[in-house]
Amino acid sequence: MIELPKFKIGNLEMNLIQGGMGVGVSARNLASAVANCGGAGIIASVELGLLRGYKGNKIKANQDAFRDEIRAARQMSNGVIGVNIMRALTDYQGLVKVATEEKVDLMILGAGIAKDAPKLVGDAPICLVPMVNDARTADLITRAWKKHNKVPDAFVVEGPKAGGHLAYSFEDLVNNTAPQLEDLVKDVIGFANNPENFKNPVPVIPAGGIYFGQDIAYYHKLGAAGVQMATRFVTTRECDADDKFKQEYLRANKEDLMIIKSPVGMPGRAIRNSFLEKVMGGEKIDFNCKYNCLKTCNPKESLYCLMKALIEAHGGDFREGFAFAGSNAYRATPESCLDADGKFITVRTLMQRLSDEYNSP
Ligand SMILES: Cc1cc2nc3c(=O)[nH]c(=O)nc-3n(C[C@H](O)[C@H](O)[C@H](O)COP(=O)(O)O)c2cc1C
């Protein structure tokens, strides 16, 4: 079997990074399966306690569930296991502490500038990778981390075609006027390779809309060390969401991928369904927020509870839920994602396909 080329972040070696997907879409099963195929398997830290119905204190329930997912993934693989922690989470610091105690290999920090991450992680041998959306944010975080004698071990550059919340304006996303990933990646590579900024070049990892092996080859040629991919991993057997969540991807046409205004004050990309039509049309779904899980959410003004919607979707109930997805989710078809028995293909099959595509221009 020809494998995808490997690259290094710190002392870790991998062939790609599987992007963290909340709530519970990338947990122990997906992360360990990817790690067993030479990739970095990433567990999304957001609201894992809710998947178990929040037994006891909510913060503790989330932390305990997160710890359990990391431990389980470690037992299922000797490969590279990392986590995705969003700065915007109310308990961001607590989750960083758990991941540090559990000695994950890699911490990917998104949704805000995690200025204090090196201080929180201390001397633990963990690669710290901020998600940025341009060279300016890469510079900002580098300056903050240098104050703690730390530089990023890599940069993930997430462009406007990614799934989930996006760091671009709603108008730019809808009108397709946001800067393109290839331009952003070139800028960040310029910054990361400049000896005035870093003693050694810092690996740059593009994300957002990378779907086929040919896309990986394209970004390698552009000078990226590797790529981060999420959407394509949803339609695998090991993805931790219910099969009905994965079937939403099979159902989606190109026109179904829509930009939504999320209650947390950011736009996001998701698959159109009747629930989204309802709330985007201004209908309010009453809820009682006891938790305030995201710093940027104002429950009084929100039309619905985002976390509740994502949890419902994770379990396969779309009456009051929806699926986040990247712009290429519509490419998933039953022919490409199901095997002869009608089951979703395994991560190993997907990795083999990516490698075949990579090698057939
Ligand atoms: C279902 C879904 C959930 C996601 N959840 C998160 C998340 O919790 N935190 C985060 O930083 N990024 C999240 N993302 C973004 C991915 O980690 C990744 O960077 C992005 O989707 C890559 O683009 P692609 O999906 O086109 O490959 C999510 C993406 C999807 C599709």
Side-chain angles (χ1 to χ4, degrees):
M1 163 176 163
I2 311 172
E3 283 188 31
L4 287 169
K6 293 210 162 79
F7 62 98
K8 282 187 109 172
I9 296 181
N11 291 326
L12 305 171
E13 203 175 54
M14 63 204 78
N15 51 26
L16 54 70
I17 300 177
Q18 159 257 308
M21 291 180 278
V23 174
V25 178
S26 68
R28 63 178 74 184
N29 293 306
L30 181 56
S32 61
V34 171
N36 282 332
C37 292
I42 307 293
I43 297 169
S45 61
V46 55
E47 294 301 301
L48 288 164
L50 188 51
L51 290 177
R52 303 169 171 186
Y54 282 148
K55 292 194 187 73
N57 169 298
K58 180 239 182 188
I59 299 258
K60 186 168 181 313
N62 277 339
Q63 293 183 2
D64 288 350
F66 185 38
R67 195 184 299 279
D68 286 353
E69 291 305 312
I70 298 169
R71 287 190 182 173
R74 279 271 193 238
Q75 286 202 335
M76 293 159 83
S77 174
N78 292 322
V80 177
I81 298 290
V83 295
N84 171 294
I85 304 179
M86 296 192 283
R87 179 68 187 83
L89 292 174
T90 311
D91 188 34
Y92 147 80
Q93 293 198 346
L95 295 167
V96 168
K97 189 163 177 277
V98 170
T100 305
E101 285 166 2
E102 294 304 316
K103 298 189 181 65
V104 297
D105 297 310
L106 194 63
M107 220 184 268
I108 300 189
L109 300 147
I113 312 265
K115 287 189 180 167
D116 55 350
K119 198 170 104 197
L120 297 173
V121 171
D123 293 335
I126 297 175
C127 288
L128 294 185
V129 178
M131 281 175 84
V132 299
N133 56 324
D134 53 22
R136 195 189 66 84
T137 30
D139 184 30
L140 213 68
I141 199 144
T142 302
R143 284 174 195 278
W145 285 16
K146 278 183 177 171
K147 290 187 187 142
H148 302 289
N149 298 318
K150 171 79 189 162
V151 291
D153 290 295
F155 292 107
V156 170
V157 186
E158 195 184 67
K161 292 186 173 169
H165 288 115
L166 302 165
Y168 300 91
S169 78
F170 180 81
E171 288 70 28
D172 274 345
L173 290 165
V174 169
N175 300 326
N176 217 0
T177 47
Q180 293 306 297
L181 179 61
E182 34 281 74
D183 297 327
L184 298 167
V185 167
K186 282 183 206 159
D187 281 356
V188 179
I189 289 177
F191 172 76
N193 285 0
N194 185 341
E196 284 179 17
N197 300 326
F198 303 103
K199 214 158 51 181
N200 300 310
V202 177
V204 174
I205 321 284
I210 298 169
Y211 196 81
F212 296 113
Q214 288 89 344
D215 303 331
I216 305 176
Y218 174 79
Y219 282 103
H220 281 175
K221 282 200 196 94
L222 219 62
V227 299
Q228 170 167 299
M229 296 172 63
T231 292
R232 191 136 181 216
F233 283 97
V234 170
T235 46
T236 59
R237 200 170 302 172
E238 294 92 340
C239 166
D240 291 85
D242 191 274
D243 271 9
K244 292 203 186 86
F245 185 101
K246 306 172 191 178
Q247 278 152 9
E248 281 292 285
Y249 279 51
L250 301 187
R251 176 185 71 76
N253 295 317
K254 201 169 182 181
E255 310 74 60
D256 292 325
L257 288 152
M258 66 186 291
I259 302 298
I260 62 165
K261 285 183 178 162
S262 153
V264 303
M266 283 171 90
R269 182 175 282 103
I271 299 177
R272 186 186 306 278
N273 69 0
S274 54
F275 172 73
L276 280 181
E277 297 277 7
K278 220 162 38 182
V279 288
M280 291 303 123
E283 195 173 315
K284 187 163 168 54
I285 313 289
D286 283 332
F287 67 99
N288 179 10
C289 174
K290 297 186 218 130
Y291 307 119
N292 198 220
C293 33
L294 281 150
K295 288 180 185 143
T296 46
C297 180
N298 179 354
K300 286 204 183 98
E301 284 175 13
S302 297
L303 289 176
Y304 62 97
C305 171
L306 173 72
M307 287 306 159
K308 181 169 181 294
L310 297 180
I311 299 280
E312 302 274 311
H314 170 273
D317 189 342
F318 288 87
R319 286 171 301 177
E320 290 193 0
F322 68 89
F324 273 136
S327 66
N328 275 323
Y330 73 94
R331 295 187 189 276
T333 59
E335 294 72 35
S336 61
C337 300
L338 302 179
D339 65 14
D341 298 330
K343 287 187 180 159
F344 282 94
I345 57 167
T346 60
V347 165
R348 190 161 291 283
T349 302
L350 171 57
M351 293 297 256
Q352 179 62 61
R353 282 197 196 159
L354 287 172
S355 162
D356 293 345
E357 291 162 4
Y358 184 93
N359 291 298
S360 55

